[in-house]
């Protein structure tokens, strides 16, 4: 017994010596950690990225929709379930540090007959006998983690759990951004439909005026046809914009965890795309890589796969388990607690797949290949994060310049149309000149409405690329994330 205790203590001391590579986080290139390079950086702020960035739009309807999506969206619920499963696997891995125990109890009634029992001598006239058997036992086994198989398994499970947490954060980023984008899209199509309807009203009046002038001998049939073309073209755009608006509202309902038929009343009344008037804070590359959930997920996957190399390497070495068993056995319950009913066994069990270690070395190569792939995935996630931000900055800054130019064009076209109407009424311009001016005004207003919607979507795309939005979850989501970190 004393020697066994010494062996157990020595094994516990050696358990800290785990085979396989020790994980070190890959270093980020200095150029990637600096400021962003796109010229559009002049149109944003270098300040710290906002957590609940959707509040910058100052739209209460959008705020409510995002909170509903973060609470009820099915993709987020699925990612949350994956996190729970990873936590359960981590708990199972940690349980390997404890002894495996088994309690058993049995009762049997047994009869032994003289016939067919060689060597059994029974008294004359007795053809057999019956007896009871009571058995109570306790078995235990403990793996001495000499080469760190258990430690590396826990390390891998912990990495998977943290990766699942990052995946949940990533789902929140994607759903918040998609909700804001879809809402902005619905508002944008509503605005474009309203512009098209107003254009129809203006062109209808122009068509009626043209018909009266032709009847009065001041025009030709060509003038009527030209006015009708403008009217019908504008009228044809209305159903297309309305259809896209309804499609966006259906998508918005499912994003918030509702059937498509349950359209949001307030969202369906929006006719102006939301927008951020202040400079958007974007931070720098170092803060981006620390914040982006997909980068954190890839880094944690790499850590887990590196630990699995150690798990596979441990199979090259012997495995030692300490086995123990204590039992009480007797033919009556009264004798079950007596010293004569006591039995025990205690001792180590060594197992080693040697000398044939072909399978073990193959598993090591598989684990190493998995770690190499995870490293490539991490490098790709870093490059993707940087690329998406630079692209979002370029598109956002370009849309800002375009929107400003279209606003000037809309103002100029409106003034030109007003002057053309006055000059036509005064007899100084022809009907064709008035129609051209109104056509240019309609085109300018339609382009501006489309640009307003595109600008809102560009802002949402920039927020999504920056990876914020998971830090300030609703209370149920915050509790779930906290449990993922603290639950053993």
């Amino acid at each position: 017994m004393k020697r066994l205790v010494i062996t157990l203590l020595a094994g516990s001391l050696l358990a800290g010596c785990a085979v396989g590579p020790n994980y070190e986080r890959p270093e980020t290139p200095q150029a990637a950690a600096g400021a962003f390079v796109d010229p559009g950086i002049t149109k944003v702020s270098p300040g710290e990225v906002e957590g609940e960035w959707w509040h910058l739009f100052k739209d209460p309807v959008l705020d409510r929709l995002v909170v509903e999506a973060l609470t009820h969206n099915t993709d987020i619920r699925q990612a949350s379930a994956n996190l729970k499963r990873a936590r359960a696997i981590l708990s199972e891995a940690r349980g390997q540090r404890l002894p495996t125990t088994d309690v058993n109890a049995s009762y049997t009634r047994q009869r032994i007959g003289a016939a067919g029992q060689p060597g059994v001598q029974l008294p004359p006239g007795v053809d057999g006998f019956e007896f009871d058997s009571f058995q109570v036992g306790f078995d235990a086994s403990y793996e001495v983690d000499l080469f760190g198989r258990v430690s590396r398994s826990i390390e891998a499970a912990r990495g998977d759990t943290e990766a699942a947490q990052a995946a949940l954060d990533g789902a929140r980023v994607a759903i918040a951004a998609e909700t804001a984008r879809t809402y902005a899209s619905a508002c944008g199509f509503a605005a474009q439909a309203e512009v098209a309807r107003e254009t129809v009203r203006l062109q209808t009046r122009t068509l009626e005026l043209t018909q009266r002038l032709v009847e009065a001998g001041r025009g030709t049939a060509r003038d009527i046809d030209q006015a009708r073309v403008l009217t019908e073209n504008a009228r044809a755009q209305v159903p297309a914009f309305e259809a896209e608006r309804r499609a966006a509202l259906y998508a918005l309902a499912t994003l918030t965890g509702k059937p498509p038929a349950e359209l949001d009343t307030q969202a369906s009344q929006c006719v102006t795309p939301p927008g951020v008037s202040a400079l958007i804070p974007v931070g720098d590359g170092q803060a981006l890589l620390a914040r982006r959930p997909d980068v954190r997920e890839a880094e944690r996957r790499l850590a887990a796969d590196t630990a699995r190399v150690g798990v596979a390497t441990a199979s090259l070495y012997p495995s030692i388990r300490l086995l123990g068993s204590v039992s009480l056995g007797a033919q009556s319950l009264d004798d079950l607690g007596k010293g004569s009913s006591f039995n025990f066994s205690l001792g180590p069990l060594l197992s080693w797949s040697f000398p044939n270690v072909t399978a073990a070395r193959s598993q090591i190569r598989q684990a190493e290949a998995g770690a190499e792939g995870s490293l490539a995935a991490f490098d790709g996630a870093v490059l993707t994060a940087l690329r998406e931000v630079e692209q979002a900055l370029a598109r956002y800054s370009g849309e800002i310049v375009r929107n400003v130019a279209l606003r000037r064009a809309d103002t100029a076209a409106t003034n030109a149309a007003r002057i053309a109407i006055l000059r036509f009424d005064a007899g100084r311009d022809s009907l064709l000149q008035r129609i051209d001016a109104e056509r240019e005004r309609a085109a300018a207003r339609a382009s501006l409405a489309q640009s307003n919607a595109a600008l809102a979507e560009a802002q949402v795309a920039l927020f999504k690329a920056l990876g914020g939005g998971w830090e300030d979850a609703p209370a149920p989501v915050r509790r779930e994330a906290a449990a993922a970190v603290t639950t053993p």
Side-chain angles (χ1 to χ4, degrees):
M1 179 66 70
K2 182 177 179 180
R3 288 196 299 270
L4 183 61
V5 173
I6 295 175
T7 301
L8 178 60
L9 292 175
S12 300
L13 292 175
L14 291 173
C17 181
V19 296
N22 292 321
Y23 176 72
E24 294 183 3
R25 191 183 191 281
E27 294 184 2
T28 302
Q30 187 63 32
F36 301 114
V37 298
D38 187 85
I41 196 69
T42 59
K43 296 178 176 60
V44 294
S45 166
E48 184 178 355
V49 174
E50 292 285 340
E52 295 181 337
W53 49 263
W54 48 89
H55 291 316
L56 295 176
F57 287 95
K58 301 185 184 305
D59 189 324
V61 177
L62 176 60
D63 295 343
R64 176 180 56 80
L65 291 171
V66 171
V67 172
E68 290 181 4
L70 294 179
T71 306
H72 302 294
N73 183 266
T74 55
D75 289 346
I76 292 180
R77 289 165 51 196
Q78 182 179 356
S80 179
N82 291 337
L83 175 59
K84 291 179 180 178
R85 180 174 57 187
R87 286 165 45 200
I89 294 174
L90 175 58
S91 180
E92 178 184 3
R94 286 173 171 168
Q96 297 180 51
R97 287 195 182 278
L98 303 175
T100 301
T101 58
D102 182 30
V103 178
N104 58 79
S106 65
Y107 162 75
T108 58
R109 176 72 178 175
Q110 187 172 0
R111 183 182 187 280
I112 298 179
Q117 297 290 333
V120 176
Q121 299 294 329
L122 298 177
V126 178
D127 61 352
F129 67 94
E130 297 180 2
F131 63 92
D132 295 325
S133 176
F134 297 89
Q135 187 80 24
V136 177
F138 176 81
D139 300 328
S141 65
Y142 173 74
E143 179 177 352
V144 181
D145 196 21
L146 287 175
F147 301 100
R149 187 195 70 82
V150 175
S151 299
R152 294 301 193 192
S153 296
I154 296 174
E155 186 179 340
R158 185 183 300 112
D160 288 337
T161 301
E162 293 168 348
Q165 175 66 67
L168 174 58
D169 296 339
R172 296 189 70 253
V173 170
I175 294 304
E178 185 62 17
T179 301
R181 189 201 66 79
T182 305
Y183 174 72
S185 179
C187 298
F189 283 122
Q192 293 179 75
E194 182 58 32
V195 169
R197 279 191 288 266
E198 185 176 353
T199 302
V200 170
R201 291 192 293 268
L202 293 174
Q203 295 298 337
T204 299
R205 289 199 295 269
T206 301
L207 175 61
E208 294 171 350
L209 173 62
T210 303
Q211 290 172 335
R212 289 196 300 269
L213 291 174
V214 170
E215 292 172 357
R218 292 184 57 189
T220 63
R222 185 188 66 177
D223 297 333
I224 296 177
D225 290 338
Q226 287 179 329
R228 181 173 286 113
V229 167
L230 295 178
T231 303
E232 297 305 324
N233 282 340
R235 183 175 286 114
Q237 293 178 354
V238 175
F241 290 138
E242 280 295 329
E244 292 298 331
R245 183 186 72 87
R246 294 196 304 273
L249 291 173
Y250 295 145
L252 195 60
T254 58
L255 282 168
T256 55
K258 301 174 183 176
E262 296 184 14
L263 295 181
D264 190 274
T265 304
Q266 291 181 317
S268 63
Q269 295 174 351
C270 176
V271 294
T272 303
V276 178
S277 57
L279 294 178
I280 296 177
V282 298
D284 56 18
Q286 183 176 1
L288 169 72
L289 299 180
R291 182 177 57 252
R292 283 267 300 216
D294 56 338
V295 175
R296 291 189 291 112
E297 180 183 2
E299 188 271 331
R300 289 291 82 200
R301 297 289 183 199
L302 174 59
D305 287 341
T306 302
R308 290 187 180 94
V309 177
V311 175
T313 304
S315 61
L316 290 175
Y317 301 95
S319 173
I320 298 178
R321 299 189 70 87
L322 302 179
L323 307 179
S325 176
V326 178
S327 65
L328 298 174
Q331 295 184 4
S332 68
L333 285 174
D334 294 337
D335 296 335
L336 196 61
K338 295 180 180 180
S340 60
S341 67
F342 179 72
N343 307 283
F344 79 90
S345 64
L346 192 64
L349 171 65
L350 184 145
S351 60
W352 192 7
S353 299
F354 185 84
N356 185 4
V357 293
T358 303
R361 294 194 180 280
S362 176
Q363 292 172 359
I364 293 173
R365 291 195 296 272
Q366 294 174 43
E368 290 175 342
E372 291 178 7
S374 295
L375 177 58
F378 171 75
D379 291 339
V382 170
L383 295 176
T384 298
L386 296 170
R387 171 180 58 81
E388 288 181 352
V389 172
E390 297 289 3
Q391 288 178 328
L393 283 170
R395 290 165 180 157
Y396 176 50
S397 62
E399 193 59 45
I400 288 177
V401 175
R402 176 172 177 261
N403 189 267
V404 170
L406 288 175
R407 288 181 184 277
R408 291 196 296 263
D410 177 63
T411 301
T414 300
N415 291 334
R418 179 179 57 81
I419 294 173
I421 292 174
L422 294 176
R423 291 177 63 84
F424 174 77
D425 293 341
R428 301 180 63 181
D429 278 352
S430 66
L431 178 62
L432 180 60
Q433 289 174 311
R434 172 176 173 168
I435 291 175
D436 286 340
E438 292 185 346
R439 179 174 58 241
E440 291 175 355
R441 179 178 60 179
R445 297 191 65 185
S447 296
L448 179 58
Q450 187 277 332
S451 177
N452 289 336
L455 183 61
E457 294 191 21
Q459 291 172 339
V460 173
L462 178 57
F463 286 127
K464 180 182 179 181
L466 293 172
W470 53 267
E471 306 92 339
D472 299 301
V477 181
R478 285 200 304 271
R479 288 195 295 267
E480 180 67 27
V485 177
T486 60
T487 300

